[in-house]
Structure formats: structure tokens, C-alpha cells
Amino acid sequence: MATVIKTVQALLDEASCAFEKRFGVKPTHAAKAPGRVNLIGEHTDYNDGFVFPMALPMVTVLVGAKTNTGTCRVETLAEVANEDRYCEFPAKGVKPGTPKWANYVKGVVAQFPDEVPSFDAVIVSSVPLGGGVSSSASIEVATYTFVEQLIGSSTQTPEVTKILRCQKAEHDFAGMPCGIMDQFISVMGKEGHALLIDCRSQEGKLVLMSDPNVVVLVINSNVKHELTGSEYPMRRQQCEKAASILGKPSLRNASMEDLEAGKSDLDEETFRRARHVITEIRRTDEAATALENGDFNKFGQLMVESHNSLRDDYEVSCTELDQLVEYAMELKADGVLGSRMTGGGFGGCTVTLVKSSAVDKVIQHVATKYKATGKEATFFICASSDGASPIKMLFQEIEIAVSHITSIVLEET
């Protein structure tokens, strides 16, 4: 059975209750930002390529209030292993440190050119941690959206600036040299659409994705991963090395003909890393066209090709992800169109495109076979959702109503 995703209101209530318990007052401001699932286009964003994510209905909600103490106090309701769920840090001159989860909040605070007021806050999320669906970017973007409200500037930060600042927060404070995709879709997602992102031009193209006969099924392997280790930076360095040897500014500018011509100058592993990126960029572009044309069979075929490339050439899959893809594809004749690992790899989630009439059968089949290996998977049926936004709190709604009534009385007098 698919897991029921908590509503934004349920998360807001949970966070508000915890905030009042921790700080003794009610929160005054709130914001939400979604996680994402990347349908295709993995490890291409930091190579100036194309990616094709959609925003998820799973979101991070942050509630809080401005203070005058000079100290930010933040609590997370997430289960974080071996770390304190509460953190304090100065609003000015903030530095990374422990607990690690708080670095995503600190990093965002440090990116604001304006002085950020101190605040108290509570974070709650329905985005699976370490699941490859960008829980980190959802925290960053929710934090940025929240702090914008506290500052109260009449001029909203341009969306691309907001995205780049959140990305820099992850680079500088979490030590993760991520591409632009996660923050981009968390800001720019739109209900009923996937978003083809050109990471070189930093532009997005919405592609309609609202066929009721097709379902996006996200399956969490429940194998946790942490990408701040050596594997992710190593892949990025290999890509940069390959591009340099090929005489290209990035692998986005390289073709398979270029790669074959330069093969003798590359070691075998770097060649395979570059081959994945070059072919994945092409697959992603083709997949967006297939979706625009309603060709779900072609889209599914490209998903499987993507997984095989990530498994064999880029080597970022793992046994559990391979198993989940294999089990899903065993029901190809029953309505599974395609399946692949999604996210950075080394654990996390797969994404499967399946006919809605077959989704229950697929869940049962995959769950049974995966359980036989001694593991439990979690299943989410996901519709594409909107990007980040402030959440109006009750007191704000009351203020608006009072203002409206006052204006009517003044007009009448």
C-alpha cells in the first residue's frame, strides 16, 4: 500500500504546536518548499546539461517568529541520527558547525545581503531524509522563503538569485558541491507539470504532465546515503577532467564523437563517467520531447537506459536500487513503462512510470520481492506540485480581515 503523504496543514499544525511548546509563544510566519523527484537527467546539472525533475507533494514546512535576542534558535522534528535536534547560532557572522542538519539553515542565513533579524523556528518535513529526493534543498528554500518574510522587503528576490544563493549555502556550509537542479525545481515547480531545466542557461521549460492514466511511483529503498563523502566530489572532478582533456568548457559541449576521438587520452573509468553524462544529456532532451508528444513508452525506455548507465558507467547505484528497478520492470507487460534510480545515488529512491490501472499490483509485487531480501520499501504515489511559497498564519488572515473591515467603515464615513 502506498504511504499517505501528510498535508501541508497537518505539517503546519505539527510544527506550530512544537514551536509553542519549545518557545512559549505562537509562530507568526511560515513557509513551505517541496522536495523533488528527477524523472531523468542524473549527474548532468553540474555538467551544464539538462535535467527533468518535478516538484513533489512532500514538503518542508518552517514556522517561526522574529526576535530581538541576536541569536537564532531552531528545532527540527525530523529523526536525525546521533545529532541534537535543537541548535542556536548568531544571526550575524554565522559559521558552519554541528549539528549537520542546521548547516542548511545557517548557510541560507549567511547568503542574505541584508541584515537578517534573529528568529526562533521549528522545521518539519514529509520529504524522506537521505532518500535522493532533495530534502536538503527543500530546507534551504523553505528557510529562504521564511527569512524573506521576516525582512519584509517590498522587493522580492529574483527567482534565479534565490536559487543560486540556496545552492551556495549547500556548497559553503554543507560541503556538498551540488548542481542547480534541486533548488531550481523547489522554487520553480508547478502543479501538473515537470520542468526541463537547462543548467547552462539557467532557464526552465514547463512540460505538461497531467495524464490521469499514468502515475509517478516513488519507491524509497530506505537505504540512507550521505553525499558529502568522497564519491560525489570525485565524480564531479572526473567530469571536469574529461571536459578539460577534450578541450570543452563542460561535457554539455561534448559529443560521443568527441569522446571517442579523445579516448586514448582518458583512463577507462573517466571515459565511462563522461560517456554517462554525454548520453544522459541526450536522453533527457529526448525524454522531454517524448512527454510533450504523450509517448510514455519512449519515455519509459529512456528511463531504463538512464538507470543502466548510472549503474554501469557512473557507478552510483547500489544493490537495493537495482533490485527495485528489476522488480518493477518484471511487470512491464502489466503496465510498467519505465523505472530508474533517482537522485545522487548510493541509496535513496527509484522513480517508476506506471499505468494507473496497474499501480496497486506493482506495489504489491515489488514490496513482496524486496521484503524477501530482508528489507522494507516505502511507496509514494506522487503528483507534480507547486514550488515554494509563504504560508499565511491565522493572525495574518485576521489582520487582513480587520484591514478590510476598517477600509469599508472609513469609506462609509
Side-chain angles (χ1 to χ4, degrees):
M1 177 182 286
T3 299
V4 176
I5 299 169
K6 283 186 179 181
T7 65
V8 172
Q9 187 60 53
L11 293 170
L12 182 64
D13 292 345
E14 184 179 351
S16 297
C17 182
F19 184 90
E20 192 167 0
K21 182 178 179 181
R22 165 70 72 173
F23 300 112
V25 295
K26 294 184 183 297
T28 58
H29 294 81
K32 66 178 177 68
R36 63 97 185 101
V37 63
N38 194 23
L39 300 172
I40 192 167
E42 221 65 74
H43 291 277
T44 53
D45 56 347
Y46 53 82
N47 288 288
D48 285 347
F50 293 108
V51 291
F52 199 35
M54 71 177 205
L56 290 170
M58 285 106 78
V59 301
T60 294
V61 169
L62 188 151
V63 304
K66 188 189 299 187
T67 67
N68 58 8
T69 63
T71 298
C72 298
R73 303 185 296 176
V74 186
E75 179 183 14
T76 178
L77 303 186
E79 292 184 12
V80 284
N82 304 316
E83 286 195 323
D84 197 333
R85 295 189 191 183
Y86 176 77
C87 179
E88 296 186 1
F89 58 90
K92 294 180 183 177
V94 58
K95 304 291 183 185
T98 56
K100 287 191 228 176
W101 63 264
N103 286 328
Y104 298 108
V105 179
K106 292 177 181 177
V108 170
V109 170
Q111 303 312 311
F112 277 85
D114 303 318
E115 185 173 311
V116 174
S118 58
F119 59 84
D120 295 335
V122 166
I123 301 170
V124 64
S125 186
S126 57
V127 186
L129 299 180
V133 287
S134 199
S135 57
S136 56
S138 71
I139 293 172
E140 292 154 8
V141 175
T143 301
Y144 200 104
T145 307
F146 168 76
V147 173
E148 275 187 316
Q149 294 180 78
L150 295 190
I151 293 174
S153 173
S154 57
T155 306
Q156 201 77 359
T157 305
E159 288 175 325
V160 172
T161 302
K162 182 175 180 176
I163 290 162
L164 291 172
R165 286 176 181 171
C166 288
Q167 180 196 30
K168 192 171 190 301
E170 189 148 343
H171 287 189
D172 294 353
F173 276 68
M176 171 62 175
C178 62
I180 200 174
M181 171 179 63
D182 297 350
Q183 293 81 8
F184 203 114
I185 186 63
S186 192
V187 172
M188 303 282 282
K190 185 175 181 183
E191 183 179 356
H193 295 77
L195 186 67
L196 179 67
I197 303 170
D198 184 333
C199 299
R200 182 168 61 189
S201 66
Q202 298 177 351
E203 295 174 319
K205 176 186 176 183
L206 290 166
V207 179
L208 191 64
M209 190 173 184
S210 57
D211 191 324
N213 297 310
V214 178
V215 165
V216 173
L217 178 64
V218 175
I219 307 175
N220 192 349
S221 69
N222 290 312
V223 176
K224 305 285 186 184
H225 68 284
E226 187 174 336
L227 287 178
T228 50
S230 63
E231 293 289 353
Y232 188 103
M234 184 185 300
R235 297 300 188 282
R236 185 162 186 163
Q237 289 162 14
Q238 288 171 322
C239 292
E240 291 168 354
K241 175 185 175 183
S244 177
I245 290 172
L246 295 177
K248 305 293 183 182
S250 72
L251 289 178
R252 165 71 177 276
N253 301 87
S255 65
M256 277 305 299
E257 290 75 21
D258 294 326
L259 185 61
E260 290 293 344
K263 186 173 183 178
S264 60
D265 297 320
L266 298 166
D267 62 83
E268 188 268 341
E269 187 174 83
T270 302
F271 175 83
R272 287 189 290 108
R273 301 295 189 252
R275 181 168 62 187
H276 163 72
V277 172
I278 292 168
T279 58
E280 185 80 347
I281 290 171
R282 172 187 53 78
R283 278 189 292 268
T284 305
D285 193 26
E286 290 179 7
T289 300
L291 187 60
E292 284 181 308
N293 295 334
D295 190 348
F296 293 109
N297 289 318
K298 176 67 173 176
F299 195 100
Q301 174 193 331
L302 292 165
M303 290 176 75
V304 174
E305 290 176 11
S306 171
H307 180 79
N308 293 342
S309 181
L310 287 159
R311 179 192 64 204
D312 301 332
D313 275 354
Y314 221 64
E315 296 182 283
V316 290
S317 189
C318 63
T319 300
E320 292 83 0
L321 294 175
D322 294 342
Q323 288 170 336
L324 291 175
V325 169
E326 177 188 342
Y327 301 153
M329 293 310 301
E330 286 172 353
L331 295 185
K332 185 175 181 180
D334 297 277
V336 173
L337 299 160
S339 186
R340 61 184 290 275
M341 62 153 279
T342 186
F346 310 107
C349 293
T350 63
V351 57
T352 301
L353 201 65
V354 57
K355 292 180 180 177
S356 53
S357 58
V359 68
D360 290 337
K361 183 176 182 179
V362 173
I363 290 173
Q364 183 176 4
H365 175 78
V366 174
T368 300
K369 295 205 73 171
Y370 193 62
K371 191 171 184 178
T373 69
K375 303 178 186 70
E376 295 272 355
T378 311
F379 300 83
F380 303 92
I381 297 171
C382 297
S384 52
S385 303
D386 286 328
S389 66
I391 304 174
K392 279 194 171 64
M393 303 296 285
L394 181 60
F395 90 98
Q396 293 170 317
E397 293 173 356
I398 292 171
E399 279 187 348
I400 291 168
V402 169
S403 175
H404 180 64
I405 292 168
T406 302
S407 65
I408 291 173
V409 170
L410 290 173
E411 285 174 7
E412 289 179 350
T413 57

